[in-house]
Amino acid sequence: MRASQHRKLDITVIQKPTYWSGTLYDSMSISMNGMSKPFAPGTRQVMSLQGGGECGALLRGLDWDANPLGSPETWPDELHVVVGMAMASAQPMLIVWGPAQITLYNDGYAAMCGNRHPHALGRPFGDLWFDIWDAVRPIIEAAYAGIGTSMDDIEFTMHRHGYPEKTNFAFSYIPVRDSAGAVLGMFCPCTETTASVAARAAEQVERSGFLQVFEVAPGAIALLSGPDHMFRFANADYLHLVGGREVIGKSVRMALPEVVGQGFVDILDRVYRTGEPHVGRRIPIDLKSHGDAVARTRLLDFLYHPIHDTEGAVNGIFVQALDVTDLVGEEQKQQMLNRELGHRLKNQLAMIQAIVNQTLRTAEDLPSAGRTLGDRIRVLAGAHDMLIEGRANRATVDGIIRKTLALHGDRQGTRIRVDGPDLAVASRPALSLSLILHELSTNAIKYGALSNDVGTVDIRWQIVTQDGQDRIVLTWTERGGPPVATPDTVGSGTNLISTGLSGTATCDVGIDYDPRGLRCEIVADLASFQNEN
């Protein structure tokens, strides 16, 4: 920072005789560094308050009769000149005028005022910068005494946004005199340099070598300085985490406003105050990909570690974070798969136990029992493979039927007709349905419609509503085979079919030994037929 004072740095408006007749005002010129440019006569008031964007409109709307400056029609030429310059300029410009030190400024300067704009417009300068008045008052008093002041990167701690923040400015306070040399006010072109000062500070740290390490280190890393937690550095991973937003030179509150209400700024305050580091594990945080985006929840492992100066005082915080959202999701998915695997395994073992018991009870001899048991277990294994391959670990009725019947030929579909809607099946009913279809098709090949060359099997399913509940109705109908008669004894296959669909809330199975061909109807609760739980 540097400061210099210039006793002859001022602006003087010189009155000259007019060369136009019938005019209301004298011609004016600005005497500044030896240059002057006349204004057209009769346009003084229009030029001083015309344009100027938002601030120009606010100035035109002020109740000047109630203001110490009075109506613009009564303003001195010098005030018209500097106001016109400010309204026409893109650079931030400030005017402090009269004994009451009334504040006027343009849109560029309004951005520096924070929440105090537009209330500060047309009010005493001390009301605008009351929080830094001890530092500003000597400079403004010097200007009113005719002494100009120029400063680069002067630092103030302001509360313009409702909280303390370190800021930097470059400005010149220039006294404005009348033709007699009396100081009427002060004119100030200025620039806020907070971001550039912060950038230079970060560059100085980078030259020490630490930032080069941080840039390539895994995870999101940032360096914060001061009690307002100003970003001095952020590596590529950190910028990616916050959606590529510009954070350098801004406080955490300004750069990431969505985190303020989530308690993270409070944690930073505590770390800065106590000097104790803070570690968070899998902490949810709502972050935006950009300023106007909807915040999305991420899970972070993070570290806030205090940074100490040479005297041991905390002057910043080191931030490191890892986005573990995907990792936690994969772990949860793996846990779900493990639970599903255990559930499936228990169902599979229970099904195999039931098949073995039922087969051995009704078998004529061990060889035939072995063949029957082997066939049933192969069907069960095939159904299990189909469940694994199915989308969302679920099979469909059509898929189960076609895979089970593929073991029995008729790939052209001329003898076995299948028709029904696309319907998902939960794992337990799917295994039962596979075994039932296997028993029906095996019986049809041995004794029924598929035992000759002309018989057919028609398999249909549909959803019906009975007693206010949706149910699936599946029918197996044989035609064209040998005449059917009711058997004298009930075999293991019939018992397996009559057991129905495992895992359903209700299931009724009807077997009709119609002489024209066997007919089997299965009616089950649809919700439990499809629900894995």
Side-chain angles (χ1 to χ4, degrees):
M1 180 182 74
R2 64 175 176 84
S4 58
Q5 296 182 331
H6 309 277
R7 294 183 178 274
K8 295 184 179 180
L9 182 61
D10 57 11
I11 296 176
T12 303
V13 177
I14 302 173
Q15 299 291 330
K16 293 184 178 180
T18 179
Y19 294 96
W20 295 276
S21 59
T23 59
L24 297 176
Y25 303 107
D26 290 335
S27 173
M28 296 182 296
S29 67
I30 301 175
S31 176
M32 193 171 185
N33 297 328
M35 300 179 63
S36 73
K37 181 179 179 180
F39 291 102
T43 62
R44 178 178 62 181
Q45 295 180 46
V46 175
M47 291 187 64
S48 64
L49 287 179
Q50 73 177 359
E54 178 193 17
C55 286
L58 291 171
L59 288 173
R60 291 190 293 274
L62 281 179
D63 182 7
W64 291 109
D65 292 334
N67 191 280
L69 294 184
S71 171
E73 296 178 357
T74 66
W75 287 358
D77 297 336
E78 294 83 357
L79 181 55
H80 278 291
V81 170
V82 292
V83 169
M85 291 173 59
M87 294 299 103
S89 176
Q91 181 183 357
M93 290 188 176
L94 163 72
I95 301 161
V96 179
W97 201 264
Q101 297 184 356
I102 299 302
T103 305
L104 309 175
Y105 50 80
N106 63 4
D107 285 353
Y109 194 89
M112 301 180 183
C113 297
N115 298 338
R116 298 172 185 178
H117 171 74
H119 181 70
L121 198 62
R123 298 177 65 86
F125 191 49
D127 291 353
L128 172 58
W129 297 126
F130 61 90
D131 50 338
I132 57 172
W133 190 241
D134 288 344
V136 172
R137 181 170 57 187
I139 308 175
I140 191 68
E141 288 178 351
Y144 268 74
I147 302 172
T149 302
S150 178
M151 291 190 172
D152 290 338
D153 302 332
I154 186 173
E155 182 176 289
F156 297 113
T157 298
M158 294 180 168
H159 294 71
R160 57 184 176 174
H161 293 289
Y163 53 86
E165 58 176 322
K166 287 186 178 180
T167 59
N168 300 91
F169 296 88
F171 61 83
S172 292
Y173 277 20
I174 306 172
V176 180
R177 303 173 184 271
D178 62 14
S179 58
V183 175
L184 303 178
M186 181 274 293
F187 176 72
C188 173
C190 56
T191 302
E192 181 169 355
T193 59
T194 305
S196 60
V197 170
R200 288 198 298 271
E203 291 172 359
Q204 292 174 359
V205 177
E206 185 175 10
R207 283 193 293 268
S208 69
F210 287 108
L211 297 190
Q212 297 178 8
V213 176
F214 294 158
E215 187 62 57
V216 299
I221 293 178
L223 295 179
L224 309 177
S225 68
D228 53 343
H229 316 304
M230 186 80 69
F231 279 100
R232 300 304 187 189
F233 169 80
N235 69 356
D237 285 349
Y238 193 95
L239 295 177
H240 177 74
L241 179 65
V242 299
R245 282 179 280 180
E246 293 290 339
V247 299
I248 303 301
K250 299 179 181 179
S251 67
V252 172
R253 289 178 179 271
M254 290 189 64
L256 308 174
E258 70 271 23
V259 309
V260 176
Q262 301 180 57
F264 292 95
V265 175
D266 294 336
I267 299 174
L268 288 170
D269 289 340
R270 184 169 64 251
V271 171
Y272 193 91
R273 183 178 64 255
T274 65
E276 296 292 331
H278 179 89
V279 177
R281 301 288 186 188
R282 301 187 175 187
I283 304 301
I285 180 173
D286 295 334
L287 284 174
K288 296 181 178 181
S289 58
H290 55 82
D292 298 327
V294 177
R296 295 192 303 171
T297 301
R298 311 297 296 175
L299 297 176
L300 299 183
D301 288 348
F302 67 91
L303 166 68
Y304 292 161
H305 197 285
I307 300 173
H308 300 83
D309 60 21
T310 56
E311 298 179 356
V314 176
N315 63 359
I317 295 177
F318 171 82
V319 177
Q320 185 174 29
L322 290 174
D323 188 343
V324 296
T325 308
D326 295 338
L327 175 62
V328 173
E330 287 298 322
E331 290 178 355
Q332 292 174 345
K333 182 179 179 180
Q334 187 61 50
Q335 292 173 359
M336 182 187 68
L337 291 176
N338 289 340
R339 290 193 297 268
E340 177 68 16
L341 179 60
H343 175 70
R344 292 276 179 89
L345 184 58
K346 287 189 290 185
N347 286 343
Q348 197 85 318
L349 291 174
M351 185 74 73
I352 292 174
Q353 184 180 25
I355 292 172
V356 171
N357 291 338
Q358 191 175 76
T359 302
L360 293 178
R361 280 199 309 267
T362 58
E364 297 178 356
D365 52 49
L366 286 178
S368 63
R371 289 191 297 272
T372 301
L373 187 59
D375 290 343
R376 289 174 176 174
I377 291 178
R378 280 193 294 273
V379 171
L380 194 63
H384 186 72
D385 290 341
M386 184 166 45
L387 289 174
I388 295 176
E389 295 169 2
R391 189 175 72 175
N393 287 339
R394 292 192 178 187
T396 63
V397 173
D398 184 77
I400 292 171
I401 292 172
R402 295 185 185 279
K403 190 173 185 69
T404 303
L405 298 184
L407 301 173
H408 306 290
D410 191 38
R411 295 184 180 274
Q412 289 76 28
T414 58
R415 301 189 64 191
I416 302 176
R417 294 186 291 271
V418 178
D419 183 52
D422 184 21
L423 201 60
V425 190
S427 59
R428 293 178 64 190
L431 296 174
S432 296
L433 181 59
S434 298
L435 291 171
I436 291 172
L437 292 171
H438 171 70
E439 294 300 328
L440 289 171
S441 59
T442 299
N443 182 75
I445 290 173
K446 289 183 177 180
Y447 314 111
L450 300 181
S451 65
N452 58 27
D453 296 330
V454 296
T456 60
V457 176
D458 188 77
I459 306 172
R460 298 178 183 273
W461 65 97
Q462 59 182 328
I463 298 173
V464 299
T465 302
Q466 297 177 353
D467 300 327
Q469 291 186 334
D470 290 336
R471 302 180 186 277
I472 176 175
V473 178
L474 185 146
T475 58
W476 171 290
T477 306
E478 299 182 23
R479 290 292 182 266
V484 175
T486 303
D488 296 330
T489 60
V490 177
S492 64
T494 302
N495 285 332
L496 188 148
I497 295 170
S498 299
T499 302
L501 300 176
S502 176
T504 56
T506 60
C507 183
D508 297 321
V509 178
I511 302 177
D512 181 13
Y513 296 98
D514 188 330
R516 296 174 299 170
L518 180 75
R519 185 177 187 277
C520 177
E521 181 180 79
I522 303 172
V523 181
D525 172 65
L526 179 63
S528 54
F529 179 76
Q530 294 187 298
N531 191 340
E532 199 62 51
N533 298 319

